[in-house]
Amino acid sequence: MKLLSYNILEGGAGRIDPLAEVIRLAAPDIVILAEPWDESLFHKLADRLHMDRFLAENPKNPHGSTGLLTTLKIKEAVNHAPLDPRLTRSAFHAILELPSKNSAPKTHHLPIIGLHLHARETLADEAIRLAELPALFDI
């Protein structure tokens, strides 16, 4: 199983084809995208990759989205950004269905968390990120 975390920088506008090619060449099963700001471009990217998708947006921060692309089936996904004011960008949890390795009917699930913490590099920014961590631990 391959997991790719990829900050597509400012929504990926004008770069969907190269972004899709980078992801396609990496051949991941799961992709966590930071900064998929434009919902239509996010869906376009998912369609080009033939992947299921979930977009977690933050209503307080239009540039704070986090996305999930996956070749697996998404059984459940929850966007925590509207639920927790401690998050400056976005966070989600998802439950993915793993394919059975044999003919057994038992379904296995993989829980994952995707998030994009506050950006920038000053000590004040680090304090903001540290304040976001309890929200992550609560997820």
Side-chain angles (χ1 to χ4, degrees):
M1 169 125 0
K2 285 185 181 179
L3 171 70
L4 173 67
S5 177
Y6 195 179
N7 186 325
I8 63 171
L9 187 63
E10 299 178 353
R15 297 176 283 116
I16 292 301
D17 289 332
L19 291 169
E21 190 59 21
V22 167
I23 294 169
R24 188 181 337 277
L25 288 172
D29 301 291
I30 302 165
V31 182
I32 308 296
L33 292 176
E35 299 185 15
W37 297 349
D38 185 316
E39 184 176 357
S40 65
L41 290 177
F42 173 74
H43 290 295
K44 188 175 184 179
L45 181 61
D47 289 342
R48 290 210 178 154
L49 294 166
H50 307 289
M51 297 178 110
D52 200 0
R53 82 283 316 248
F54 177 75
L55 182 61
E57 297 176 292
N58 187 330
K60 299 175 301 201
N61 182 351
H63 296 148
S65 299
T66 304
L68 166 65
L69 302 175
T70 182
T71 59
L72 305 172
K73 181 179 177 193
I74 300 172
K75 178 178 170 36
E76 168 187 310
V78 176
N79 180 4
H80 290 271
L83 307 173
D84 197 322
R86 296 174 292 182
L87 296 167
T88 62
R89 293 197 174 206
S90 61
F92 68 83
H93 85 262
I95 307 294
L96 306 178
E97 289 188 7
L98 295 173
S100 179
K101 292 196 186 284
N102 53 37
S103 60
K106 184 172 179 171
T107 303
H108 297 280
H109 298 106
L110 175 67
I112 63 166
I113 294 174
L115 76 151
H116 190 272
L117 294 172
H118 179 79
R120 308 290 178 252
E121 63 281 342
T122 70
L123 286 176
D125 294 309
E126 185 64 14
I128 293 169
R129 280 189 290 279
L130 288 172
E132 289 179 295
L133 288 179
L136 172 62
F137 296 143
D138 288 346
I139 295 172

